[in-house]
Amino acid sequence: MKKFTGIPASSGIAIGKAFVYLEEDFPEIPRYSIRKNQVETEWARLLKAIVEAVEEVQVLQERAVREMSKEQADIFAAHLLMLEDLDFQDQIKDRLRGNLQNIEWTVWDISHEVALKLMSSPDPLFRERAVDISDVSRRIMDKLLSITRFSLADLDQDVILVVHDLLPSNALNMNKAHVKGLVMDMGSRTSHTAILARAFNIPAVLGLSDITQEINNGDRLVVNGGTGEVIVNPGRPELARTENAISAFRKMNDDLLALRNLPAETLDGRRALLKANIEVPEEADQALRYGAEGIGLYRSEFLFLTPGKTAEEEEQYEAYRHVLKTMGDLPVTIRTMDVGGDKLLPDLQGDEKNPLLGWRAIRFSLAHPELFKTQLRAILRASVDGNTRIMFPMISGVEELEEALVLLEEARSECRNLGYAFAENIEVGAMIEVPSAAMTADILAERSDFFSIGTNDLVQYTLAADRGNERVNYLGQPCHPAVLRFLQMIIDAAHRKGIRAAMCGELAGDPAVTPLLLGLGLDEFSMTASSIPQVKRIIRGVSMEQCRVLAEEALRSTSYRHVNSLVTGWLAEHFPPA
Ligand code: PEP
Ligand code: MG
């Protein structure tokens, strides 16, 4: 038996068999010159690779017809047509003869060129084809380079997934029904994979450095996502203790759920709003189950992260509508796509040296006005079905906000011209998650209907510590005096202009800091749905007077260590463990 402790990233306890998944990176494409007399051999290699790829896609297509949607099956049908497209093959042969470069490079070069051309087309159908081309060429490349891939979507047994790192797109598309727990070398509590694990209620421990070297396939694991403990091949006593912990965890959740219909109101009558963060439309049901008073953050970018698919206007419209209808009159804040960073759109964004400081969120949207307006139109059209709000991610200054508002106005007039109805007076807010936005919150408040503070990024950018990198995880302290001063500035700036200050970063769902956030004047808290009852319990047990005193003391503190011990001590004193 071995024990490890990592970052507790998604609560819950799981027992199960390890599945160690070591994902290969997409390989470097070899590039070398060939002689004229090698052209035929290279060509024959390609034809063989195409035959193998066709066989593989046929199997996938049959499976899609049986087990998935018609839409999925149609994608594979389109891939088959491309693989067998003689014009495309001729183009490759001409380039092979002309440039005398190896076949892998030739295929890669042409596909990339065609995909880029299609991607810049205003026609959504062409853009969709660009993703297909990249997919098909990747499959051919795998065959040429003899790479076999296992997709997490193919998991067919219950496992505890052990990985070095997991991109949010992979987490989104894995067969979640069979992933009972997640253990990872990389990552931290605010990495997007952790956020997804919480959304899917999968217990997760992250940031374990080299746990993939310590665990073998088939090892029995206990994963405690609340304490961060991972036990490999536990003995009987540990197993018995784990069974007890699982029962206690269930009971605690049931007790907390009893608070579902009670208001989040302090002892002296201050009402806060507790909302849910969601990543996929289906989570809206769960939000209601935990008593959310709206969706404070719908991370719409997850619609764009399924490989081989682009989310066109209709698909987006249906997704937004689904959430709005599920939530009825309750407000739903749709954040426009925050792609980039660890949520790269591989076909559109390419490689960046420093993606977290690069083409992310509103920057990417403003650079792709057609894509952005497609999203805005989809949101506007859906807005007749519920109480919609729009929010822009990673605003760094007033210019970006104004530019986004101009495009929103253009999307409105496009809807009018096309005869689409939409709700008037949709509130539009800015996420405050970049230090420059926090410093100019008073200016941004002039142009915003509300603020939502993204502490995950605000902490990352204030402390200059990558939120997904376990080596600098210790620096990502949301109670650092620098962050607390920013929070106070943002909330005060909002209130001075008479707008609401919400928070949708993970800090909003941490019950230990709830009294501090109340004391700073926060109006709305948006979090993983399952955290709502715990935060509500705290709010219902404190008075604003006490919270203000606590916030003042925290703001006077000179170190995060002091603030952390202040808030935990305060909580233990006011909410002694039963
Ligand atoms: C944040 O940065 O706090 C936030 C809520 O946005 P995301 O986690 O999606 O970056
Ligand atoms: Mg963010």
Side-chain angles (χ1 to χ4, degrees), residues 192 297 299 335 343 360 433 454-457 467 504-505:
H192 284 103
L297 167 64
R299 290 184 163 97
R335 170 174 79 182
K343 293 174 290 192
R360 223 196 119 178
E433 49 183 349
T455 47
N456 307 336
D457 279 317
R467 63 196 257 193
C504 59

Side-chain angles (χ1 to χ4, degrees), residues 60-77:
L60 291 171
Q61 190 197 18
E62 281 159 23
R63 202 176 110 194
V65 169
R66 273 196 322 272
E67 299 169 14
M68 297 183 217
S69 61
K70 174 168 178 322
E71 205 191 354
Q72 282 288 341
D74 287 349
I75 293 176
F76 291 125

Side-chain angles (χ1 to χ4, degrees), residues 546-567:
Q546 294 169 319
C547 295
R548 280 194 204 101
V549 173
L550 174 70
E552 274 159 24
E553 188 170 350
L555 283 167
R556 280 196 303 273
S557 297
T558 50
S559 75
Y560 70 76
R561 285 212 176 90
H562 184 255
V563 183
N564 286 349
S565 66
L566 177 70
V567 294

